[in-house]
Amino acid sequence: MNSDFKNYLFKLIFSLFLSFQGHAQFIKQESPGIKTAGDVLLFAVPASTLATTLILKDREGSWQFTKGFILNQAVTFGLKVALNKPRPHHNGDNAFPSGHTSTTFQSAAFIHERYGFKYSIPAYALAGFTAFSRINAQKHDGYDILAGAVVGIGSSLIFTSPYEREHMELTFSSNEHAALLGFTYKF
């Protein structure tokens, strides 16, 4: 991922964090429909991401997604237990970081890194909505959401490499005395 896009993504996540912080002050009552949608997306986004790798017969991508997913869950739940931060409206513990947010952002970041930014736009939108749903459900504050996004994106970036659509490569090299033609096929 190039540094310009990383800067853009950081600014986007930070601006979402600030807008969620401001919005959280105005939420007086949760919307059960938004909460339910966020709960559904917690499973739907990673399931559809993994299904995409299987449909494309991208075994390497399936394995990369699985490793990122496992790391994400381990880090998220490890931090939840270690820090035991109370939820913002005193409705439970283990708020930091948001597991819903880390899971959906891990999936979105995987799609971005593996298949390209244009394919990840819907996944990032769904991940952002999931983050909003957690604030709306009064389960998290902006810090929980921001940390979830960072953990999710980071765990995906560690393992994910771009998808190689081309399995054949033709090369040519020459100098004054010789020419070399090469052919590579990746199974």
Side-chain angles (χ1 to χ4, degrees):
M1 182 180 338
N2 68 32
S3 63
D4 289 338
F5 182 75
K6 287 181 184 179
N7 290 334
Y8 170 77
L9 190 59
F10 174 76
K11 290 174 185 175
L12 175 67
I13 291 172
F14 188 70
S15 63
L16 285 172
F17 165 72
L18 292 177
S19 67
F20 289 152
Q21 281 295 89
H23 182 71
Q25 298 173 12
F26 299 106
I27 296 175
K28 302 292 186 221
Q29 186 174 10
E30 68 180 76
S31 171
I34 292 174
K35 180 185 181 304
T36 301
D39 291 340
V40 168
L41 290 172
L42 170 65
F43 296 100
V45 174
S48 59
T49 301
L50 183 58
T52 299
T53 66
L54 297 173
I55 290 167
L56 294 174
K57 296 181 172 121
D58 180 11
R59 294 179 66 166
E60 182 181 0
S62 298
W63 180 232
Q64 290 175 1
F65 175 77
T66 302
K67 291 187 290 188
F69 184 83
I70 291 169
L71 177 64
N72 177 51
Q73 298 304 309
V75 171
T76 298
F77 288 103
L79 286 170
K80 282 180 173 289
V81 171
L83 300 176
N84 197 25
K85 178 183 177 263
R87 296 193 183 263
H89 295 279
H90 308 293
N91 54 2
D93 293 325
N94 299 329
F96 185 87
S98 167
H100 283 65
T101 305
S102 71
T103 299
T104 54
F105 269 96
Q106 185 264 329
S107 297
F110 170 82
I111 293 170
H112 179 188
E113 278 295 299
R114 188 78 179 154
Y115 304 115
F117 177 68
K118 67 181 176 181
Y119 299 109
S120 68
I121 293 170
Y124 279 124
L126 293 172
F129 178 82
T130 303
F132 168 76
S133 78
R134 302 311 291 158
I135 289 179
N136 183 268
Q138 300 178 348
K139 299 290 185 183
H140 294 287
D141 58 27
Y143 296 108
D144 303 336
I145 298 303
L146 180 62
V150 169
V151 169
I153 291 170
S155 62
S156 192
L157 293 178
I158 290 173
F159 295 109
T160 309
S161 63
Y163 183 57
E164 293 182 23
R165 287 175 173 71
E166 299 295 326
H167 296 286
M168 293 185 290
E169 182 180 15
L170 186 62
T171 59
F172 179 77
S173 178
S174 68
N175 63 26
E176 293 177 18
H177 306 291
L180 179 64
L181 182 64
F183 177 75
T184 306
Y185 184 81
K186 296 178 185 177
F187 293 93

